[in-house]
Amino acid sequence: MLKVAILTGGNVAERSVSLKSAETVRKHLNDQKYEKYVIELNGTQFTEQGTGVVVNLNDFSLPAPNGNIKFDLVYQMLHGHPAEDGCLQGYFEVLGIPYTGCEVMASAITFNKQACKDFLRSHNIPMAPSKVLRKGETINWVELEAMGVPVFVKPNKNGSSYGASKVNTGDQLPGAIEHAFVYDDEVVVEGFLKGTEFSNGVLRRNGEVVVLPITEIVPHNEFFDFKAKYENQSQEITPARLTPEQTAQVQAQTKLIYEAVGCRGICRFDYILVGDTFFFLEANTIPGMSEQSIVPQQARAHGWSITELLDAAVDEALERQAMKLSVGN
């Protein structure tokens, strides 16, 4: 059986989400095919969940009485830094350990919300206007005020809507920016788009890009914030209430973004429909995988179990590693 390290934890705001996602992966990865180890990042150490045994970072092996356990694959369920931004991918590339999900460049681009938008402009993807603020730099308040209100303020490199807020009046803007800076050294101020939110998962299976059914999101709050995502304060409708033409439009856009950025593994892209246009909001290269998360819902609507979904991610990671080794030889 393949020895799989399921990465989780971390020192970021999304830690609790990561732990739930990893538990779903542990539960649903095929027991007949994989020997599973949940590896949790705490501070600067990776430890096996439960035993607390510390991973040897020289080769990412797990000390054991009968010799170190070497992993055949890393299943990444660690949200945020250092997994979603590409840092860990570089480490595993050096060690030659296959891993699920996007590689270094695609992870770095998509984790930086503004960099991702800048990259996608040449592909004619509709997006809201936005500006980046950097901690320590002077803020041009005149420029921000010219954007009008409402606007969204959110950390540039973070997920799960931590630090994000909707600003309805100009006097709320300084406080919202200060709040977002708690979570990141860069903050995005983005023009507000009034419409319906949608989310679309995508992955590769047997070499082909598979775009999953679309989810329509009806938040009970003003927008799809943390409570809406993880505390059942939204209605999530899968498949979404879209016409066949609209469905085809979103799925084609999802496939275009996935391939243009060079994504791998399971990703999820979020949109908002305004009029007849689906505006791209952001990319999630390690989307939530808890029982109530969007991608598992979409997999079920596609006719797959969570086990089949996870199998596809593992198979693609192993195929990618085999291809790299064949090129190296």
Side-chain angles (χ1 to χ4, degrees):
M1 288 199 292
L2 290 178
K3 294 180 174 62
V4 177
I6 304 167
L7 289 198
T8 187
N11 314 305
V12 294
E14 295 177 271
R15 177 182 174 85
S16 62
V17 181
S18 173
L19 292 170
K20 288 180 181 178
S21 295
E23 175 55 26
T24 302
V25 174
R26 185 204 63 76
K27 178 180 174 183
H28 290 279
L29 263 180
N30 194 326
D31 290 325
Q32 306 304 312
K33 296 168 67 173
Y34 311 114
E35 191 176 310
K36 297 168 280 190
Y37 300 80
V38 179
I39 306 297
E40 190 173 317
L41 176 60
N42 295 289
T44 59
Q45 290 186 327
F46 287 95
T47 58
E48 184 185 14
Q49 201 178 69
T51 66
V53 174
V54 179
V55 170
N56 181 348
L57 293 181
N58 291 321
D59 58 0
F60 204 74
S61 63
L62 191 65
N66 298 321
N68 286 6
I69 296 167
K70 294 194 174 182
F71 298 112
D72 299 300
L73 176 110
V74 171
Y75 199 105
Q76 297 204 94
M77 272 310 353
L78 203 162
H79 302 306
H81 173 78
E84 224 160 350
D85 57 2
C87 292
L88 275 179
Q89 287 86 330
Y91 168 61
F92 293 128
E93 289 281 356
V94 171
L95 294 178
I97 302 174
Y99 54 86
T100 59
C102 291
E103 296 175 313
V104 176
M105 189 182 80
S107 298
I109 289 172
T110 52
F111 191 66
N112 185 308
K113 294 178 177 65
Q114 189 61 40
C116 187
K117 291 177 71 171
D118 291 343
F119 180 87
L120 291 173
R121 276 195 173 81
S122 63
H123 295 276
N124 299 315
I125 303 295
M127 292 173 283
S130 58
K131 297 184 184 299
V132 174
L133 311 177
R134 294 179 175 85
K135 188 172 282 188
E137 293 185 2
T138 301
I139 295 175
N140 188 330
W141 293 103
V142 174
E143 209 174 53
L144 292 184
E145 287 167 8
M147 293 181 69
V149 288
V151 292
F152 279 110
V153 177
K154 54 190 177 182
N156 190 32
K157 306 182 295 292
N158 212 319
S160 295
S161 297
Y162 279 106
S165 53
K166 182 184 175 187
V167 171
N168 294 305
T169 60
D171 61 340
Q172 295 175 340
L173 191 56
I177 291 171
E178 184 180 351
H179 176 59
F181 270 133
V182 171
Y183 294 89
D184 191 15
D185 59 358
E186 292 183 342
V187 167
V188 173
V189 180
E190 188 174 70
F192 172 71
L193 297 171
K194 184 174 177 58
T196 306
E197 293 190 49
F198 296 90
S199 194
N200 196 195
V202 56
L203 68 154
R204 275 188 175 84
R205 192 183 198 193
N206 300 324
E208 298 294 325
V209 175
V210 178
V211 183
L212 297 173
I214 302 156
T215 297
E216 178 181 345
I217 298 157
V218 185
H220 299 164
N221 302 324
E222 275 202 282
F223 68 99
F224 195 43
D225 60 5
F226 181 87
K227 289 185 176 180
K229 288 177 180 176
Y230 302 112
E231 296 179 10
N232 299 318
Q233 293 191 22
S234 68
Q235 183 183 8
E236 296 164 8
I237 304 164
T238 310
R241 296 171 296 184
L242 294 170
T243 66
E245 292 76 19
Q246 288 173 319
T247 298
Q249 183 183 343
V250 176
Q251 291 181 322
Q253 192 158 291
T254 292
K255 186 173 187 288
L256 172 60
I257 294 170
Y258 189 84
E259 294 183 319
V261 179
C263 292
R264 297 286 182 172
I266 302 167
C267 295
R268 198 191 80 226
F269 302 137
D270 299 337
Y271 303 96
I272 189 161
L273 175 62
V274 181
D276 296 323
T277 303
F278 288 91
F279 287 81
F280 171 73
L281 296 177
E282 63 182 53
N284 300 272
T285 56
I286 305 180
M289 203 60 65
S290 63
E291 299 287 354
Q292 67 266 41
S293 293
I294 289 173
V295 171
Q297 293 179 37
Q298 295 179 351
R300 288 191 289 269
H302 189 65
W304 289 354
S305 65
I306 296 178
T307 297
E308 288 176 288
L309 177 71
L310 301 178
D311 267 348
V314 170
D315 289 345
E316 194 233 7
L318 295 173
E319 288 163 8
R320 183 174 63 200
Q321 184 70 5
M323 188 177 299
K324 286 178 183 177
L325 293 174
S326 67
V327 171
N329 295 328

